[in-house]
Amino acid sequence: MTNTYAVVLAAGQGTRMKSSLYKVLHPVCGKPMVEHVIDHIRGLGIDRIVTIVGHGAERVEETLGEKSEYVLQEQQLGTAHAVQQAEKLIGDLDGTTIVVCGDTPLIRSETMEALIAHHNETGAKATILTANADDPTGYGRIIRGDDGQVLRNVEQKDATLEEQEIVEINTGTYCFDNRVLFETLKKVRNDNVQGEYYLPDVAGILQAEGALVSAYMTDDFSETLGINDRVILAEAESVMRRRIADKHMRNGVTIISPDHTYISAAAEIGRDTILQPGTMIEGHTVIGENCLIGPNSQIVDSVIGEGTTVHSSVVLASTVGSTTTVGPFAHIRPDSNLGDKVKIGNFVEVKKSTLGEGSKVSHLSYIGDTKIGSRVNVGCGTITVNYDGTNKHITTIEDDAFIGCNSNLIAPVTIEKGAYVAAGSTITKNVPEHSLAIGRARQENKEGYVKKLNLN
Ligand code: UD1
Ligand code: CA
């Protein structure tokens, strides 16, 4: 079998993005665009992946880690010059090399696989992945001979008016015979409008030398979108979003309105779960089967069990058990762990807290830095007073305890097993097992007092 290598071009500054974030690190559905490209390449079982980095090199390397090898292109003199930088790593190897731009995140593994297969079958020295564009403006155009043979590529800025009429474009993805690629790169010149060394010129040079140059046309133009500015970024986001939604729907997830549901590339969702409109599933979130999420829920980097409901709520970096209900209008902040059959009701904020099985905080509460056991009922309006202005303190509420409405639990404090706190209490001392704590002013009735005040 032929060895296969990949070169990913990611050194450009991306001036047209007008951003302090390097272009290839802009996320599409929550994942940096260059990481989409690399992950799709990794799906192909390629022998070596080399990423050309320049602007923001460190950030790009940090983001991709060990998924790739890296070469620095110190000055961005063009795409051919970029590929040339990989010579010291792979220049003297036999095999086929696929070159992909780091700004084309929609290209699928299947398409790259078909391109490589086509290249190897035809025995061409260079194969360009092309597509017919509705609006080819900005792309390189493919010039073919009368017999349909690919002759060369011409960049938009160098094209004659007649050439600009051509709709078959260079997608920026290519396959080359590896050795031939690096030999031919040395012959590329920069005598063009932009004064750059153009990678697609390799194809023209080879053709002129009598080598076979081929094109493989994909029928899905959207796959080849090169993100140069934020308008195309939004377009790519929408294509990718729909692709991710389709994958989940095919796996048995119901998405009421795919256009109004945002699922990150990394999320996992179990079958028969229903996602209602306005829902965002972000980061590395895992959702079990038979859940009901939304409308308007945001779940980030969290794990949700089975049969759980998250209604109009925000869940961040937390774990939620099975058959639990959250919301409407709850906020589960990072490092929280809600067990099974838990109920978190409306206008409840939970921060860095644990709730055991069957515990309930149903209305209008703040639970912070708190350990709650099983079957605990926390009444409406209860506040754990965790902050003394300098430090945060822990509240512990053990199994089967019952906290009356509108209580303040001043941490550090422990409510032991089965203890009760009377409604309206401010608790500053531990409450022993099965005791009742009342921490409020005793009520006094002054009979007839109102009439006495009433002067007329
Ligand atoms: C390029 C192609 C064009 C094709 C289009 C498809 C050339 C000359 N033109 O144009 O034919 O239709 O892609 O999207 O190749 N880069 C480097 N180092 C450099 C220059 C660029 O690493 O010195 C990287 C960029 O980061 C980017 C990629 O190469 O990921 C493509 O560069 P870009 O400037 O976006 O090329 P286009 O003008 O889009
Ligand atoms: Ca581009």
Side-chain angles (χ1 to χ4, degrees):
M1 233 198 78
T2 328
N3 282 343
T4 314
Y5 319 104
V7 176
V8 177
L9 305 184
Q13 187 169 12
T15 330
R16 289 166 279 182
M17 294 296 280
K18 306 215 166 109
S19 174
S20 54
L21 181 66
Y22 303 104
K23 173 163 92 169
V24 295
L25 293 179
H26 274 265
V28 176
C29 291
K31 180 152 113 179
M33 58 176 100
V34 66
E35 197 171 358
H36 281 286
V37 173
I38 297 275
D39 286 349
H40 292 151
I41 293 174
R42 277 158 61 88
L44 299 172
I46 289 220
D47 297 280
R48 289 177 73 172
I49 303 175
V50 180
T51 301
I52 313 299
V53 292
H55 285 280
E58 279 164 29
R59 286 284 310 278
V60 175
E61 292 191 33
E62 248 170 56
T63 305
L64 299 174
E66 302 200 332
K67 291 180 176 178
S68 174
E69 299 173 63
Y70 305 93
V71 194
L72 184 67
Q73 183 196 21
E74 278 179 31
Q75 266 188 303
Q76 281 64 54
L77 303 180
T79 45
H81 179 257
V83 175
Q84 219 166 8
Q85 309 308 306
E87 185 170 14
K88 44 185 173 284
L89 293 188
I90 57 169
D92 60 352
L93 301 176
D94 288 325
T96 298
T97 296
I98 179 166
V99 178
V100 191
C101 292
D103 64 354
T104 53
L106 293 170
I107 181 140
R108 291 178 307 133
S109 306
E110 290 82 349
T111 304
M112 291 192 262
E113 205 163 21
L115 169 70
I116 296 169
H118 178 87
H119 175 82
N120 291 339
E121 275 160 26
T122 57
K125 297 298 177 204
T127 307
I128 306 178
L129 180 68
T130 69
N132 282 333
D134 293 338
D135 177 9
T137 313
Y139 289 93
R141 312 293 209 288
I142 303 299
I143 311 291
R144 289 180 184 259
D146 295 337
D147 54 356
Q149 174 63 40
V150 176
L151 299 181
R152 60 190 173 90
N153 167 80
V154 63
E155 287 301 297
Q156 166 85 28
K157 289 184 180 150
D158 302 299
T160 61
L161 288 175
E162 201 180 323
E163 286 166 339
Q164 286 179 23
E165 296 292 312
I166 298 171
V167 295
E168 186 182 5
I169 58 110
N170 167 21
T171 65
T173 299
Y174 321 76
C175 261
F176 298 98
D177 175 293
N178 188 61
R179 280 180 188 281
V180 170
L181 168 65
F182 287 102
E183 277 160 29
T184 315
L185 280 171
K186 297 188 176 84
K187 302 175 191 166
V188 174
R189 302 169 46 148
N190 64 350
D191 50 355
N192 51 54
V193 171
Q194 302 190 80
E196 284 184 12
Y197 297 92
Y198 293 161
L199 177 61
D201 282 1
V202 167
I205 295 171
L206 285 172
Q207 151 70 23
E209 289 177 351
L212 177 64
V213 172
S214 179
Y216 176 78
M217 194 190 281
T218 160
D219 51 13
D220 180 4
F221 175 70
S222 71
E223 232 190 295
T224 71
L225 273 184
I227 299 178
N228 292 331
D229 61 31
R230 298 196 201 222
V231 174
I232 311 178
L233 178 65
E235 218 175 292
E237 175 92 22
S238 133
V239 173
M240 175 88 63
R241 181 159 67 233
R242 183 63 206 221
R243 237 192 237 175
I244 294 171
D246 287 356
K247 175 188 84 179
H248 289 291
M249 291 190 282
R250 292 208 175 87
N251 285 342
V253 176
T254 295
I255 301 178
I256 304 294
S257 175
D259 287 341
H260 305 97
T261 306
Y262 307 80
I263 308 172
S264 78
E268 294 169 38
I269 307 172
R271 56 196 288 174
D272 289 321
T273 282
I274 300 171
L275 303 184
Q276 293 178 323
T279 289
M280 303 190 78
I281 311 291
E282 299 179 52
H284 290 263
T285 292
V286 179
I287 298 176
E289 298 183 358
N290 295 304
C291 291
L292 179 61
I293 313 291
N296 303 316
S297 288
Q298 182 190 27
I299 303 180
V300 184
D301 290 324
S302 294
V303 177
I304 313 283
E306 295 184 1
T308 284
T309 298
V310 180
H311 183 182
S312 300
S313 293
V314 175
V315 179
L316 308 174
S318 290
T319 303
V320 178
S322 296
T323 8
T324 281
T325 67
V326 175
F329 316 116
H331 185 186
I332 312 298
R333 291 170 53 197
D335 298 322
S336 294
N337 188 341
L338 313 182
D340 296 341
K341 302 191 181 83
V342 162
K343 181 177 179 214
I344 301 294
N346 31 204
F347 307 107
V348 171
E349 175 179 345
V350 177
K351 185 217 108 183
K352 209 175 179 181
S353 296
T354 301
L355 277 86
E357 184 171 338
S359 288
K360 293 179 180 156
V361 186
S362 298
H363 333 263
L364 300 157
S365 284
Y366 172 65
I367 304 296
D369 303 301
T370 300
K371 289 183 196 140
I372 297 183
S374 299
R375 300 171 301 278
V376 168
N377 189 82
V378 176
C380 173
T382 294
I383 306 287
T384 56
V385 185
N386 61 332
Y387 187 48
D388 61 13
T390 312
N391 295 308
K392 299 279 166 69
H393 300 282
I394 307 275
T395 301
T396 305
I397 308 175
E398 295 181 356
D399 294 350
D400 301 299
F402 182 99
I403 313 297
C405 290
N406 217 35
S407 296
N408 299 309
L409 307 178
I410 307 210
V413 72
T414 298
I415 316 297
E416 292 185 8
K417 273 188 188 154
Y420 271 48
V421 168
S425 293
T426 292
I427 299 296
T428 54
K429 291 184 294 197
N430 292 352
V431 182
E433 270 187 45
H434 303 292
S435 309
L436 169 67
I438 309 176
R440 64 185 180 219
R442 200 174 270 282
Q443 178 173 337
E444 202 181 324
N445 291 341
K446 302 205 186 257
E447 286 184 21
Y449 196 80
V450 176
K451 278 202 168 151
K452 224 163 50 178
L453 283 179
N454 196 344
L455 297 175
N456 46 23

